[in-house]
Amino acid sequence: MNLTAESHRIPLSDGNSIPLLGLGTYADPQKTPKGSCLEAVKIAIDAGYRHIDGAFVYFNEHEVGQAIREKIAEGKIKREDIFYCGKLWNTCHPPELVRPTLEKTLKILQLDYVDLYIIELPMAFKPGDALYPKDENGKFIYHETDLCATWEALEACKDAGLAKSIGVSNFNRRQLEMIMNKPGLKYKPVSNQVECHPYFTQPKLLEFCRQHDIVIVGYSPLGTSRDESWVNVSSPPLLKDPVLNAIGKKYNKTAAQIALRFNVQRGVAVIPKSFNPQRIRENFQIFDFSLTEKEMKEIEALNKNVRYVELLM
Ligand code: NAP
């Protein structure tokens, strides 16, 4: 794939397209100073990013929206230049909650539409104010849900113009097939956002999604922030990997840039999170070199089939 900074978009099955590189915006709200996300998104837009990945449960969507609106007001970008992905949380799966939930997100963002709206996880929690509802034994309270009915509600949001495209996240093949084989399906998922990086390359899911024209968006493409509260840190740090570092040396690039380039070069979109100005810019500098076929194979061989994000829920 010949990728340049200008042409780094990938077509979606509904006629829209997604920038291969986006800025992830999840940061622990307890440990992250207010305004960090706002600054990061503005720096990213100045650096050339046009794709921002966010979610209601990241608690900083208002900062993302403000950054986008400020950059539009400055004349740096137009709304249509930006690709924002928002997510439907587990407590909002009942179909009657889907549109109001997206409308709430749009109100927080102060935008008229999101470019992509995805079901964040394939399982539902009990609806209500608690985002992580638990019983007296500390166990999550799940909710009987029909994913196909949730999907139909997303289709209605697309028809209403509130989301330009609709997709899913953390879906396995069986769950994707369930949606795609749904009687009366109007739109199939354009993308599936899943963990994907050199230590977890997702060969089978990637092949399945390729066959069905579903773009994989790789989250934690740098191997996460290694926050022990939700990351399996027994798997070694990706960016210390000797192969990634050796290949980086050859191109005068960092292990992070090699890990990102590996994915975009095989058609996987990546959404590295950084709120650090230098690293935000560094992560964007992956369109001025390409890996050889041999290097791509070497990196593929690093796959350990171990997730950093175990999603124990
Ligand atoms: P990640 O992007 O793999 O890694 C982020 C960590 O790497 C941060 O600690 C960041 O710190 C650091 N970093 C960034 N650039 C770097 C560089 N060039 N060199 C060294 N370190 C660097 O992890 P992630 O946040 O887990 O995943 C990315 C995004 O995917 C999230 O923010 C979120 O938007 C999305 N996501 C979605 C799901 C889902 O279920 N759908 C799950 C997880 C994540 P600094 O900020 O200090 O640079």
Side-chain angles (χ1 to χ4, degrees), residues 13 151 166-168 171 176 179-180 185 187-192 212-215:
S13 61
W151 183 255
I166 50 175
V168 297
F171 274 43
L176 287 168
I179 302 285
M180 288 191 296
L185 180 75
Y187 307 112
K188 65 179 191 180
V190 296
S191 63
N192 186 16
H212 294 274
D213 215 0
I214 298 170
V215 172

Side-chain angles (χ1 to χ4, degrees), residues 16 74 107 116 141 150 195 198 201 211 236 248 258 268 290 303:
N16 296 324
E74 257 178 44
K107 205 169 161 199
L116 176 61
I141 310 174
T150 308
E195 179 172 341
T201 56
Q211 280 165 9
I258 301 299
V268 172
S290 52
N303 185 25

Side-chain angles (χ1 to χ4, degrees), residues 26 127-128 143 156 165 175 197 229:
Y26 175 71
H143 187 69
S165 298
Q175 291 151 345
H197 47 72
S229 65

Side-chain angles (χ1 to χ4, degrees), residues 230-268:
W230 58 278
V231 175
N232 167 19
V233 289
S234 65
S235 192
L238 178 69
L239 300 185
K240 294 252 158 65
D241 185 87
V243 172
L244 296 180
N245 281 283
I247 296 175
K249 224 173 191 175
K250 171 177 162 191
Y251 294 102
N252 200 16
K253 295 283 175 187
T254 62
Q257 290 168 317
I258 301 299
L260 297 175
R261 176 71 203 190
F262 163 71
N263 259 340
V264 300
Q265 195 164 319
R266 59 192 197 131
V268 172

Side-chain angles (χ1 to χ4, degrees), residues 23-27 52-55 58 87 89 118-121 168-170 193-195 197 218-226 230-231 238-239 254-257 260 271-280 282-283 308-309 311:
L23 182 78
T25 59
Y26 175 71
I52 314 291
D53 181 76
Y58 299 173
K87 307 191 184 87
W89 182 239
I118 61 181
I119 303 177
E120 192 157 350
L121 284 151
V168 297
S169 178
N170 295 302
Q193 186 179 122
V194 293
E195 179 172 341
H197 47 72
Y219 73 64
S220 306
L222 303 175
T224 79
S225 57
R226 298 185 69 78
W230 58 278
V231 175
L238 178 69
L239 300 185
T254 62
Q257 290 168 317
L260 297 175
I271 45 171
K273 176 267 171 183
S274 181
F275 284 180
N276 169 286
Q278 195 193 322
R279 289 191 285 276
I280 291 170
E282 174 186 323
N283 295 342
Y308 285 115
V309 185
L311 292 170

Side-chain angles (χ1 to χ4, degrees), residues 68-276:
I68 294 172
R69 285 181 285 105
E70 282 184 22
K71 285 293 156 191
I72 293 172
E74 257 178 44
K76 174 85 191 168
I77 46 160
K78 299 196 193 76
R79 170 66 187 90
E80 56 270 30
D81 297 330
I82 289 290
F83 186 99
Y84 178 72
C85 171
K87 307 191 184 87
L88 180 79
W89 182 239
N90 305 3
T91 51
C92 308
H93 280 205
E96 66 279 9
L97 295 183
V98 172
R99 182 171 174 159
T101 304
L102 174 51
E103 283 170 338
K104 193 164 146 193
T105 273
L106 292 174
K107 205 169 161 199
I108 292 170
L109 290 163
Q110 293 184 44
L111 297 176
D112 299 330
Y113 63 89
V114 294
D115 298 272
L116 176 61
Y117 200 51
I118 61 181
I119 303 177
E120 192 157 350
L121 284 151
M123 73 281 201
F125 286 159
K126 186 184 84 159
D129 290 339
L131 294 175
Y132 297 87
K134 288 189 177 166
D135 65 17
E136 59 281 8
N137 301 314
K139 292 228 161 80
F140 284 115
I141 310 174
Y142 294 95
H143 187 69
E144 275 295 316
T145 186
D146 175 2
L147 265 183
C148 289
T150 308
W151 183 255
E152 285 168 10
L154 259 80
E155 291 180 324
C157 290
K158 177 170 160 69
D159 282 337
L162 303 179
K164 296 273 181 212
S165 298
I166 50 175
V168 297
S169 178
N170 295 302
F171 274 43
N172 62 25
R173 176 185 174 147
R174 198 170 47 80
Q175 291 151 345
L176 287 168
E177 278 173 340
M178 196 172 77
I179 302 285
M180 288 191 296
N181 297 333
K182 184 187 86 62
L185 180 75
K186 195 160 184 193
Y187 307 112
K188 65 179 191 180
V190 296
S191 63
N192 186 16
Q193 186 179 122
V194 293
E195 179 172 341
C196 192
H197 47 72
Y199 283 176
F200 195 66
T201 56
Q202 299 268 25
K204 284 188 192 157
L205 189 63
L206 188 54
E207 186 48 36
F208 176 81
C209 286
R210 267 196 194 127
Q211 280 165 9
H212 294 274
D213 215 0
I214 298 170
V215 172
I216 292 267
V217 176
Y219 73 64
S220 306
L222 303 175
T224 79
S225 57
R226 298 185 69 78
D227 176 338
E228 290 188 32
S229 65
W230 58 278
V231 175
N232 167 19
V233 289
S234 65
S235 192
L238 178 69
L239 300 185
K240 294 252 158 65
D241 185 87
V243 172
L244 296 180
N245 281 283
I247 296 175
K249 224 173 191 175
K250 171 177 162 191
Y251 294 102
N252 200 16
K253 295 283 175 187
T254 62
Q257 290 168 317
I258 301 299
L260 297 175
R261 176 71 203 190
F262 163 71
N263 259 340
V264 300
Q265 195 164 319
R266 59 192 197 131
V268 172
V270 284
I271 45 171
K273 176 267 171 183
S274 181
F275 284 180
N276 169 286

